[in-house]
Amino acid sequence: MNQKPFILTIIALLSLIISCSTDYEETTQSAAHMSVSEAKLDSLINLMTLDEKLNLIHASSSFTSGGIPRLGIPELVFSDGPHGVRHEHGRGWYALEDADDKATYLPVGICLASTWNKGLGYDYGEVLGNEAKERGKNVLLGPGINIIRSPLNGRNFEYLSEDPYLTGTMGVGYVKGLQDQGVAACPKHYTANNQETDRHNINAIISKRALHEIYLPAFKDVVQDGGAWSVMGAYNKVNGQYATHHEYLVNEVLKGEWGFDGVLLSDWASVKDTREALLYGTDIEMGTELLRDLNNPEYDEFYLAQPARELIESGEIEERYVDEKVRRILRLMHRSTAMNDHGPGKRNVEEHQQKALEVAREGIVLLKNDGLLPFNANEIQTIAVIGHNANRLFAERGGSSQVKPLYEVTPLEGIQTLVGDNAEVLYAEGYEPYYDESLFRGASGDAASQSRENMEDVELARSANEELMQEAVALAEQADAVIFVGGWIHGHEGMPWGEGTYDAEARDKLNLELIFGQEELIRQINRVNDNTAVVLMGGSNVEMSGWLPETSAYLHAWYPGMEGGTAIAEILFGEVNPSGKLPVTFADSHEMYPSHAVGEFPGNESVEYTEDIFVGYRYFDTEDKPVTFPFGFGLSYTTFELSDLNVAREDGTLLVQATVTNTGDRTGAEVVQVYVHHRDPSVERPMRELKGFEKVELEPGVSAIVTIELEESAFQYYHPEELEWVLEPGEYEIQVGSSSRDIKLRADIDL
Ligand code: BGC
């Protein structure tokens, strides 16, 4: 849909080629990424002492790894995070108070994925790349591309989808947009980091098939198609070995099969063993549990510092393992702003705020509309805006992804600005957040079991503040229309480590019940005012059966960034036609999800992925289980028709063509989704798997022909015994639709 990113890619590519001296040659990865010649790297490495080499492979402060001043090799400078360049930490471990570090706060990852707009993935990365460069960063710690396995994962807001293809596709755009500015992407967390409970130690037990079909493909995409210069290893173990130094995942798959020639960075304190880190591919160790005093850190205490020196000097491990890490680090430095001039960056410019707005406009999903929306500001005299989230700021919460935004438009402000003098906007908070530590699964298994036993506290957080509720209901009763803004929050003062609540790092949710008495509040508002639209924030859905049937309109806004309030108002009042589509299935309770119904979550020391490849809609659709809103679903103020499916073979690929027509009376955008299904497979396969999509904007009455190319890999599965990708002959059904449960066109092909 958006040609600009491709043109920009080409321009960036040309300028890179033009700026390359004879020292540079193409690598095996994307041609857009040039590296210094290997011979030059070797001669540089030959000049280094062992101590100098070791300096490069571990942290030298909270967000830098060491350099070698004698040889003109700088430190590498890292920054979180996925949706904005994080606060400055200086060299210390705490955010600096007075730094000049305000940044553009983009909508969170799951909101980006909801746009299903590949071009926006690129633009998003481009904004981050420019802002990171302006602040002197070389590596940005994103995108977050772990698969959303359970709706309870506290970090789902940072991730993209339950589907590997959608995750990979949006992730590739992000990586290219970022790296075209000279800032290395660091897709994270490799891999199977699908929960926060016991995140430092949990052992995820997963079949090779599920790894290759579900948990690895997005990483493969960002490495091979995106050309990522670095990847971050996860905290957890996978099948018994820590992911950050995993012989199979790092050495065999990432660096072997996929040909990744960049840096495998640890997560902050994810290295647990010097020997394994040396042998199994960890290139830089960041953060460590070994640091005894954060105020007086001794970086030589890191696993890849003094302990590594001992293993090498004793002859137990050969120095060439360190040389290989150093080679990768130098490669990354030459590619990125660390050792190469990529021009100036820019920060907090209007075009970045416009991008934040565009992503929010396209990422917010309209899930229900009984004809209430869009509101007509000229026909409404009083609007009651109700809910704590209407007036709450989100940017500076949630853990490592937090951003200090230049500003943040709340929904209340967005609505007030849009409505202006046309109507009176009244506000009531309606409910208030309050906390009890025992509500949350902590980072340790013990806290997890405690919290589940302590159901009384759960009751407490579910109950409403009577006074606030009555005040809000009275306001709702007298208004012409009500906009309720609620849902999840990120965190709050006074919380335990990381201020994590609900949607936050190091915490998982306990269940999907609406917190702080909001369900009762919505029910009461619905009782007194039919014209009520519900807007929810959050990295996941909530239980809906208690309030949705009586609710006329429901918009899911995720955490929509610094311009989120503007976008919410524009959609509610019809200035923008919503076009977001769910990147995850919304079912009514967490127990309905395969990770809970069939598999295990969050486990205890280990967690078995018994649901195997049947994650998200692959499970719901194959097992025909009820969902409230399916994967890929989202409403518009106009209507679309899909017709004329045509499937043709061409040079080993399959061209799937369909016509999409805007049959309503407003300009709008539809996402044409292509799923593949094997009719009679020899092993269990899902009812459908997303293998292509395209978003098209159309004026009323206008049609477009969409062509989606499916390569052979779109039909393959990972053979559980042969342990390789296989194309099984037989009859395949191509399904084209506007959600996983709304397949409108089908065609059979024999392969
Ligand atoms: C998180 C990473 C983050 C890092 C640095 C870790 O705790 O898991 O996602 O990039 O901290 O802040």
Side-chain angles (χ1 to χ4, degrees), residues 253-452:
V253 177
L254 176 69
K255 295 185 173 180
E257 272 174 44
W258 301 349
F260 173 66
D261 68 355
V263 166
L264 191 280
L265 185 74
S266 77
D267 197 344
W268 269 234
S270 71
V271 170
K272 301 283 168 58
D273 185 282
T274 301
R275 202 176 157 275
E276 290 199 356
L278 283 171
L279 294 179
Y280 304 145
T282 319
D283 297 313
I284 301 180
E285 179 191 12
M286 292 303 296
T288 182
E289 59 193 8
L290 300 180
L291 269 192
R292 278 180 287 251
D293 180 2
L294 284 188
N295 293 316
N296 200 8
E298 285 289 338
Y299 290 98
D300 212 33
E301 289 171 359
F302 274 52
Y303 286 100
L304 287 182
Q306 172 65 18
R309 186 179 303 119
E310 283 164 18
L311 283 183
I312 289 157
E313 282 173 348
S314 72
E316 231 175 289
I317 288 179
E318 293 169 58
E319 192 167 335
R320 67 182 170 91
Y321 286 99
V322 177
D323 292 351
E324 172 58 14
K325 299 178 196 308
V326 170
R327 189 172 296 115
R328 287 168 178 273
I329 294 164
L330 293 176
R331 236 182 246 143
L332 165 63
M333 286 182 168
H334 278 277
R335 287 169 169 165
S336 71
T337 48
M339 286 178 90
N340 213 330
D341 185 11
H342 288 265
K346 51 190 168 182
R347 176 162 54 114
N348 292 327
V349 291
E350 207 186 314
E351 77 189 82
H352 290 182
Q353 292 140 22
Q354 258 325 99
K355 270 304 156 205
L357 179 57
E358 259 180 66
V359 174
R361 283 173 176 159
E362 291 200 34
I364 293 170
V365 194
L366 178 63
L367 290 170
K368 182 172 181 186
N369 186 14
D370 286 350
L372 177 68
L373 299 180
F375 288 129
N376 182 341
N378 297 320
E379 286 174 4
I380 300 175
Q381 267 153 27
T382 50
I383 300 165
V385 175
I386 295 173
H388 173 84
N389 278 0
N391 207 15
R392 186 183 174 89
L393 301 175
F394 291 96
E396 295 193 70
R397 296 266 180 261
S400 59
S401 64
Q402 61 188 273
V403 186
K404 198 191 283 177
L406 184 65
Y407 63 84
E408 184 177 343
V409 180
T410 65
L412 180 59
E413 287 165 350
I415 293 163
Q416 280 164 336
T417 306
L418 186 139
V419 168
D421 294 333
N422 287 331
E424 193 184 0
V425 178
L426 308 164
Y427 174 68
E429 190 182 11
Y431 67 93
E432 65 179 351
Y434 57 97
Y435 307 95
D436 190 312
E437 278 182 37
S438 56
L439 281 175
F440 309 104
R441 292 203 183 106
S444 79
D446 284 343
S449 48
Q450 263 170 27
S451 61
R452 249 167 292 142

Side-chain angles (χ1 to χ4, degrees), residues 646-662:
N646 190 10
V647 177
R649 281 168 221 244
E650 205 181 272
D651 298 335
T653 62
L654 200 76
L655 294 184
V656 179
Q657 222 167 50
T659 301
V660 52
T661 307
N662 182 344

Side-chain angles (χ1 to χ4, degrees), residues 577-627:
N577 192 353
S579 63
K581 301 275 184 179
L582 289 182
V584 287
T585 305
F586 274 17
D588 200 41
S589 91
H590 71 276
E591 281 143 359
M592 298 167 83
Y593 286 80
S595 43
H596 300 265
V598 183
E600 209 185 350
F601 185 98
N604 186 7
E605 290 181 16
S606 66
V607 52
E608 264 200 75
Y609 288 33
T610 331
E611 74 283 8
D612 207 50
I613 60 161
F614 293 95
V615 174
Y617 69 89
R618 282 170 169 73
Y619 164 79
F620 286 106
D621 289 6
T622 308
E623 299 289 320
D624 206 13
K625 297 284 183 193
V627 303

Side-chain angles (χ1 to χ4, degrees), residues 134-152:
E134 198 270 346
R135 298 228 332 246
K137 314 296 181 192
N138 312 131
V139 182
L140 189 92
L141 308 174
I145 57 168
N146 288 114
I147 291 295
I148 297 180
R149 174 176 179 253
S150 158
L152 301 188

